[in-house]
Amino acid sequence: MAKTSVLALLSAIASVTAETYNVPANPTTSGQPFDSFVSYSIEFSSFPDFAGNLSHPNKYSYNLIKNIHALSNTNPIFRVGGNTQDFALYNASQTAALIGIVDPNRSPDYPTTITIGKAYFESYRTWPGVKFSHGFNMGLGGKTPEGWQTLVDTAPLACQALRHGNLYTWEYSNEPDLFTSGTYAPRPKGWNETAMVDEWLKGTDEIRSQVKRYCPEIDVKFIAPSNAGANNALKATKMWAAGLDKRNDIEMFSTHNYIDGAKVPGVTLQGTLMNHTRTKQSVNNHITEYNAIFNTTKSPPPLIFGETNSLYNQGRPGLSNTFGAALWGVNFNMYSASVGFKRVHMHQGTNYRYQAWQPITTDLDTVGTKAPYYASIAVAYMTRRVGRTPVSISNIPLSADVAESAYAAHYSSRGRNQLARLMVVNMHGYNTTVDGAGLEPLPTPPKRTVRNYKFHVEGVRDGVRASVYRLMANGSDAITGITYDGWSYNYDLDEGKGVRLRNVTIGEKVVVKGGQVEVDVADSSAVILSFGKGC
């Protein structure tokens, strides 16, 4: 196989030279993400597929988790929940972890009639060192006797499974702001924020009571009810005003986000996902809501995305499973970090089009690592601490702001901010397959534009050689052949463990001259510059 030389690619095509951008020397601490910033949300009905059980743990999933740890020094945290947590009922006599029935009229992608048995909770013990939140059923729990009994019966099982240092937090309900919407809404029209808060307090009181009885050493704290968005029937502002945190037990403010819908006409890679303007607008809406609730609060709960991904309704083939979606994921995560989000849980489920990996082989998909996983890899490295010191992320506005973005990661040393890393995400589209579907290659691929980026890096001395790490694929429409710094995490190579490909050039350096550094970045790719030892 011929060697794919990144340097040869960059020198073979005329570069587009940009202006010089200034990297801020004093980033705000609001852009300082938590450890485990790169995290995941797993659909409740898919969790046994992703994690396995004690006798058959999913080693492939765990390999991918350990890859994130290798780059960030922390494991991802997993939120187990989603729509199906509000369909799940407990059956004490059931030996199977989960039995689900798919009703295509409700959703073709996940079961909407679900029973779980005691074996379901084994999945929380299969990944050593990983923490989880468990999602309890409010949709049925606050509506039917069977739903309430499920809450009573499963709270002890969940706490016993999560009392081994693997508890993240608790969650009761998924997107209650949508409970009065759609054909299968679990609440009638007129159900309001006051009624919702009454139900939530009753349910969380029961969880606390059961945990105190069976796991008294656990201090029960909750994610705030994770709403789908600020424009739905119920508003988070009114929930908090109605006494949501009356018990003073909410430790994180969680919200959900999808840029657009998988079935919405006009959704494209370039116009929707590979579009920094759309991403900023979408993320900033949540910042506005958060500030409206906590603008007078001295110590507001940390802000997280408890569930997010590219396109709701589980994504669209040719969009959500492409390298362009991975570039969107990098940009979305980094911009979220820069404006104050402390953690981002990327949602996935078995057979979902936007998933980071398919955990098992089904009749719809084969086990394997998907393009969006590589976004997690790049973000994990960009947000890692420098030694024991957290980094602060800043967004650097660029002139072509719609289709490109840049970010800086600073850390504090001896009372002075220092630049650790610099990232450029070039989202200008470059496609090499017929119809951009990632399947059939074009007979003659078009020329790939390379853009030159220059940055004034205050505080970095001349002569410093920055290491260059590239996130690359054949184009934004690629669904395979993706690498980060020459590493592939394909299932077929070593069951998801990182394998360094010999046909990809690595070890590139750029030098700081006159207080500036410059780097060439091909369209539909991203690059990280790392300054100094330990960065």
Side-chain angles (χ1 to χ4, degrees), residues 78-273:
F78 285 79
R79 172 252 187 180
V80 179
N83 286 346
T84 55
Q85 81 183 64
D86 282 319
F87 297 129
L89 295 174
Y90 180 64
N91 181 350
S93 64
Q94 179 176 305
T95 57
L98 184 144
I99 297 175
I101 299 173
V102 175
D103 179 354
N105 293 320
R106 299 184 75 175
S107 174
D109 294 314
Y110 50 71
T112 52
T113 300
I114 299 171
T115 55
I116 60 173
K118 187 176 182 179
Y120 182 92
F121 298 89
E122 285 189 18
S123 296
Y124 287 118
R125 303 291 306 279
T126 62
W127 297 337
V130 174
K131 293 185 176 182
F132 303 90
S133 68
H134 176 79
F136 291 102
N137 182 343
M138 181 177 173
L140 296 176
K143 181 181 181 182
T144 68
E146 297 86 353
W148 182 259
Q149 193 60 45
T150 288
L151 179 65
V152 173
D153 291 340
T154 59
L157 297 175
C159 82
Q160 289 165 355
L162 294 170
R163 70 191 315 177
H164 307 279
N166 55 340
L167 174 64
Y168 173 34
T169 189
W170 303 103
E171 183 176 32
Y172 185 51
S173 83
N174 175 76
E175 300 179 352
D177 57 328
L178 297 179
F179 273 19
T180 62
S181 305
T183 306
Y184 300 98
R187 298 294 182 275
K189 298 293 183 182
W191 188 73
N192 60 20
E193 289 86 357
T194 299
M196 179 271 160
V197 169
D198 287 344
E199 280 192 29
W200 194 82
L201 291 173
K202 179 183 177 183
T204 54
D205 283 347
E206 181 63 26
I207 294 168
R208 185 182 301 101
S209 175
Q210 294 293 334
V211 173
K212 184 177 180 180
R213 178 181 177 186
Y214 289 92
C215 309
E217 76 280 9
I218 293 178
D219 184 24
V220 180
K221 298 288 186 179
F222 294 92
I223 297 176
S226 298
N227 291 327
N231 298 318
N232 295 317
L234 272 66
K235 309 296 183 185
T237 51
K238 294 183 179 180
M239 292 178 186
W240 283 80
L244 187 68
D245 199 21
K246 184 178 181 180
R247 308 286 191 258
N248 195 30
D249 57 2
I250 293 177
E251 62 177 341
M252 279 171 283
F253 182 88
S254 173
T255 187
H256 293 182
N257 185 86
Y258 291 87
I259 293 294
D260 216 318
K263 300 176 183 178
V264 175
V267 171
T268 64
L269 267 183
Q270 189 70 81
T272 308
L273 297 182

Side-chain angles (χ1 to χ4, degrees), residues 16 65 82 169 186 215 277 280 289 312-313 357 364 374 422 424:
V16 176
I65 291 169
T169 189
C215 309
T277 300
K280 288 193 298 182
E289 178 188 57
Y312 63 82
N313 293 135
W357 70 91
L364 297 176
Y374 289 82
L422 191 59
V424 176

Side-chain angles (χ1 to χ4, degrees), residues 17-23 398 453-457 515-517:
T17 302
E19 61 188 280
T20 301
Y21 303 103
N22 186 58
V23 178
L398 304 181
Y453 297 86
K454 296 180 181 179
F455 299 92
H456 176 67
V457 286
Q516 296 184 356
V517 66

